[in-house]
Amino acid sequence: MSVESNTSAESPNDRSEDQPGAETQHGAPNFLRNQIRDEIESGQATTIVTRFPPEPNGFLHIGHAKSIWVNFGLAEQFGGRCHLRFDDTNPAKEEQAYIDAIQEDIRWLGYEWSGAVRFASDYFDQLYAWAQHLVREGKAYVDDLSPEEIREYRGTLTEPGRPSPYRERGVEENLDLLERMRLGEFEEGSKVLRARIDMAAPNINLRDPILYRIRHAHHHQTGDKWKIYPSYDFTHGQSDAIEGITHSLCTLEFEDHRPLYEWFLAHLPVPAKPRQTEFARMNVNHTVTSKRKLKLLVDRNVVDGWDDPRMPTISGLRRRGYTPASLRKFCDMTGVSRAANVVDIAMLHFAIRSDLEDNAPRAMCVLDPLKVVLTNLPADHDEVFEVPGHPAREDMGTRQLPLTREIWIDREDFMEEPPKKFFRLAPGKEVRLRNGYVIRCDEVVKGDDGEIAALHCSIDFDTLGKNPEGRKVKGVIHWVSAEHGVPVEVRLYDNLFLEEAPDRDKDADFLDHLNPDSLVTVQGIAEPALADVEPEARYQFERVGYFCADRHACRDGKLVFNRTVGLKDSWAKIQKKQG
Ligand code: ATP
Ligand code: MG
């Protein structure tokens, strides 16, 4: 399947939708793409090198998917490279499990980093040498103030800071103290290394920022080698320079750090001068995108782990049934700008729905089974319909649909006393069985409790096929043979948060806004073709929605389907209204 031809000359190759980089025809504005294109056209840039720099302190979320799409996508589009570099300067919060999960997520999204996996900790020796260089140049000093005092001396947005009494220490003393910090001679918190820039700078980040802290911590990459760890600011730009990154793309909260990023590059003998450019974080309503908050949901068992299908993590979205192509398309649809924005979650639903509409095979599954006895079929009737796997995709072949005397239909497709516009089943009324005959409801059978136990219906045998002579009925319902259907567990997921902006109020607990009905589990009956479903297979359950075979449960031999998204397209409706 090839995408519509793209006139904006952004993707030189014809690509299929399931390849990364194929989505530019949806093209929301992307100022980074335009900027890099201009640089290449004017000869200012030749090969572009980007990096994705996650901190391995949690699983990646939809916001990271955006950053991955930006960094890997731009490199790919302009024939450059993208590095994966773990920003691992805080060993207390980092774990190997996160390192593994992050790599799996990136690959699943369809991207591959250039070269080996990199770690900021690979550069600890070089960074230390550069710290010594700054000390020798009189541009860094060891400070004995406590963390509280440092904060106090730093001043505020309206007041300049004050110099630390240790600011004028001599070079030799500073070099000696720094070396002893490294060797672990001092307690945590007793000293730091600071740059000597300007305590009165209007930008607080330039008021002698901290370069190294003492942390007697074991590090997942460097073991017990280091007793001091560099700050993010002292690490990031220099790592970019070491790797020859040309475009260091990050989110807006780093804008105020850019002068510091540039200060280090200007005052150290770095091999290259990367440039930092910021873009707005992507936020999605009805969800939170902060690893800290997501970790809280996991730690408090609000959800079933980082990849719970309600989580906005990449692995959660995957387990929910999202495809890599749908997430890339979503990133493309939401564009890249410098204006902070919140994306409607309906747009995410639209991206997956349109993918699955085209690419998911159809199946029938009854979620709330009501027995129907087809009274004019013999007890041993076993007719098999061969029906298309997908109405528009011959390549998906056909499936076998057995019809027997007893079938299941969904309880909500029958009403004993229907309102006027109810076109499904009712006493004396007719309806078509999807892919099958027209039936009429002759009798409602009730149990001792007065509840409807079964329906007795009769088939009109002259009604097979799309337009059998003159027989037209308004309603079509899905159904499953009672004899051949397979019991399945169906997990009906909904937004985790009722509130549009669950973490808007900084003082309130975002957990107060949890949706108590974010997961409803039902026992359904599916057509027999689903008996040996592959983990992660995606289907449209006709008339019900899109579902995905749970990758864990199905591997354990259970039949569990997660609802990815319903059939109704609210985003298209919203657009229509606005357009
Ligand atoms: P969180 O606040 O969730 O922990 P983070 O920014 O601290 O996010 P990192 O692991 O440091 O997480 O992020 C790796 C990269 O992903 C960074 O370049 C960061 O700017 C980017 N990123 C994180 N969240 C978003 C988002 N919502 N939209 C776009 N990019 C994001
Ligand atoms: Mg971070």
Side-chain angles (χ1 to χ4, degrees):
M1 205 187 22
S2 72
V3 297
E4 286 164 48
S5 75
N6 179 0
T7 49
S8 55
E10 280 160 0
S11 66
N13 311 318
D14 210 28
R15 290 172 179 280
S16 97
E17 272 267 15
D18 57 0
Q19 291 297 306
E23 296 82 13
T24 45
Q25 81 276 13
H26 305 290
N30 180 339
F31 83 95
L32 289 174
R33 186 159 62 205
N34 298 341
Q35 185 183 307
I36 292 173
R37 192 195 299 110
D38 290 349
E39 288 169 10
I40 287 178
E41 281 172 5
S42 67
Q44 217 182 314
T46 44
T47 303
I48 79 151
V49 187
T50 59
R51 85 285 168 266
F52 174 63
E55 190 180 345
N57 60 350
F59 278 53
L60 298 180
H61 53 61
I62 183 81
H64 296 113
K66 181 68 173 248
S67 178
I68 290 168
W69 175 84
V70 164
N71 282 292
F72 284 91
L74 289 171
E76 183 181 70
Q77 194 173 349
F78 294 104
R81 300 192 299 275
C82 181
H83 295 181
L84 168 60
R85 183 204 313 142
F86 286 100
D87 167 26
D88 58 345
T89 55
N90 186 3
K93 293 194 167 171
E94 298 164 6
E95 278 179 31
Q96 187 62 41
Y98 297 142
I99 292 176
D100 298 339
I102 288 170
Q103 294 179 54
E104 186 180 349
D105 287 347
I106 296 171
R107 288 200 162 119
W108 178 76
L109 275 175
Y111 297 108
E112 187 64 45
W113 45 93
S114 169
V117 174
R118 293 167 168 86
F119 293 87
S121 55
D122 296 342
Y123 313 130
F124 280 179
D125 285 323
Q126 176 66 78
L127 291 171
Y128 185 73
W130 279 337
Q132 290 175 313
H133 174 90
L134 288 180
V135 171
R136 277 188 220 104
E137 300 281 307
K139 294 198 165 17
Y141 61 99
V142 173
D143 195 349
D144 293 2
L145 290 183
S146 69
E148 298 74 45
E149 287 167 323
I150 289 177
R151 214 170 303 132
E152 202 186 302
Y153 275 64
R154 187 171 286 142
T156 63
L157 286 173
T158 50
E159 274 171 52
R162 282 176 291 145
S164 160
Y166 304 97
R167 199 171 194 259
E168 302 305 327
R169 260 180 176 147
V171 168
E172 287 313 313
E173 187 186 357
N174 278 321
L175 280 176
D176 176 60
L177 289 172
L178 175 59
E179 182 65 4
R180 287 165 61 196
M181 281 168 64
R182 181 179 76 82
L183 293 171
E185 285 187 27
F186 305 116
E187 269 176 51
E188 291 192 7
S190 64
K191 292 185 184 347
V192 291
L193 182 73
R194 300 178 71 174
R196 200 160 172 276
I197 306 180
D198 179 3
M199 286 309 290
N203 182 335
I204 292 184
N205 292 303
L206 294 176
R207 293 183 191 170
D208 292 10
I210 291 172
L211 310 186
Y212 272 94
R213 288 186 179 82
I214 299 172
R215 288 237 192 293
H216 296 191
H218 183 83
H219 188 285
H220 48 94
Q221 301 300 313
T222 59
D224 296 312
K225 177 173 174 185
W226 293 92
K227 310 294 176 201
I228 55 173
Y229 288 93
S231 62
Y232 170 87
D233 284 320
F234 189 62
T235 307
H236 203 83
Q238 289 90 300
S239 302
D240 285 343
I242 292 169
E243 294 182 8
I245 301 299
T246 57
H247 293 73
S248 186
L249 310 173
C250 62
T251 36
L252 274 178
E253 68 269 25
F254 294 103
E255 187 174 22
D256 291 346
H257 294 243
R258 187 173 359 118
L260 184 53
Y261 182 100
E262 289 169 353
W263 190 90
F264 290 127
L265 297 182
H267 290 88
L268 290 170
V270 289
K273 305 268 178 188
R275 204 154 36 85
Q276 173 179 310
T277 310
E278 309 85 17
F279 62 97
R281 280 178 100 82
M282 185 180 70
N283 301 299
V284 181
N285 68 7
H286 294 287
T287 190
V288 294
T289 42
S290 143
K291 272 181 281 186
R292 190 180 58 77
K293 287 177 185 148
L294 296 175
K295 187 166 187 312
L296 208 65
L297 293 170
V298 174
D299 292 344
R300 298 242 184 119
N301 293 316
V302 172
V303 293
D304 171 27
W306 283 97
D307 73 344
D308 183 295
R310 290 165 291 182
M311 289 282 269
T313 51
I314 295 176
S315 52
L317 291 162
R318 171 181 180 178
R319 201 171 153 201
R320 177 82 169 253
Y322 279 80
T323 58
S326 68
L327 295 183
R328 295 192 307 261
K329 174 174 171 170
F330 173 65
C331 290
D332 198 32
M333 287 170 71
T334 51
V336 182
S337 76
R338 285 179 51 87
N341 56 49
V342 180
V343 178
D344 195 323
I345 198 165
M347 205 156 153
L348 183 60
H349 296 162
F350 169 82
I352 184 61
R353 194 181 285 113
S354 55
D355 182 349
L356 296 179
E357 162 69 22
D358 292 343
N359 299 310
R362 297 340 192 210
M364 289 201 282
C365 182
V366 171
L367 299 190
D368 184 8
L370 171 62
K371 177 74 62 78
V372 169
V373 182
L374 300 169
T375 51
N376 54 349
L377 284 186
D380 62 351
H381 185 86
D382 215 347
E383 178 177 10
V384 177
F385 302 121
E386 185 163 333
V387 306
H390 184 289
R393 293 277 302 270
E394 257 174 51
D395 60 313
M396 287 193 184
T398 57
R399 57 196 223 263
Q400 310 271 311
L401 215 53
L403 176 71
T404 48
R405 181 176 154 92
E406 293 195 349
I407 62 173
W408 298 108
I409 67 167
D410 248 314
R411 201 164 278 273
E412 67 170 31
D413 283 334
F414 174 79
M415 278 186 96
E416 204 170 5
E417 286 162 33
K420 220 167 170 206
K421 295 235 151 145
F422 187 81
F423 297 122
R424 290 165 279 168
L425 207 51
K429 291 274 164 44
E430 285 186 326
V431 79
R432 179 178 291 281
L433 295 179
R434 179 113 185 135
N435 296 305
Y437 299 107
V438 171
I439 62 171
R440 188 184 60 235
C441 178
D442 305 315
E443 193 188 340
V444 179
V445 182
K446 297 204 171 162
D448 296 339
D449 56 1
E451 294 289 315
I452 298 171
L455 304 176
H456 284 181
C457 300
S458 49
I459 290 183
D460 180 342
F461 289 101
D462 290 330
T463 54
L464 212 49
K466 275 236 154 78
N467 252 329
E469 310 94 69
R471 294 289 276 110
K472 232 174 125 196
V473 290
K474 281 216 165 121
V476 179
I477 64 173
H478 57 283
W479 56 279
V480 172
S481 155
E483 189 178 329
H484 299 288
V486 288
V488 294
E489 178 174 318
V490 181
R491 298 177 183 164
L492 302 170
Y493 291 106
D494 200 352
N495 293 341
L496 195 50
F497 295 98
L498 292 171
E499 194 72 25
E500 251 190 56
D503 52 1
R504 176 168 33 205
D505 184 352
K506 298 288 169 242
D507 302 321
D509 189 352
F510 74 105
L511 294 175
D512 290 346
H513 302 299
L514 284 169
N515 175 3
D517 300 320
S518 62
L519 169 58
V520 174
T521 301
V522 300
Q523 304 300 323
I525 315 253
E527 66 174 72
L530 296 194
D532 40 28
V533 70
E534 293 288 325
E536 295 194 80
R538 303 176 183 88
Y539 290 93
Q540 184 196 89
F541 288 171
E542 299 191 60
R543 303 187 58 247
V544 180
Y546 293 99
F547 291 79
C548 176
D550 188 75
R551 55 194 290 239
H552 303 319
C554 288
R555 199 154 288 137
D556 296 341
K558 286 182 235 150
L559 284 178
V560 176
F561 287 89
N562 301 328
R563 179 168 67 191
T564 310
V565 69
L567 291 175
K568 226 174 49 210
D569 188 352
S570 54
W571 177 248
K573 244 189 246 160
I574 292 168
Q575 277 189 313
K576 221 182 206 168
K577 236 192 278 168
Q578 290 174 346

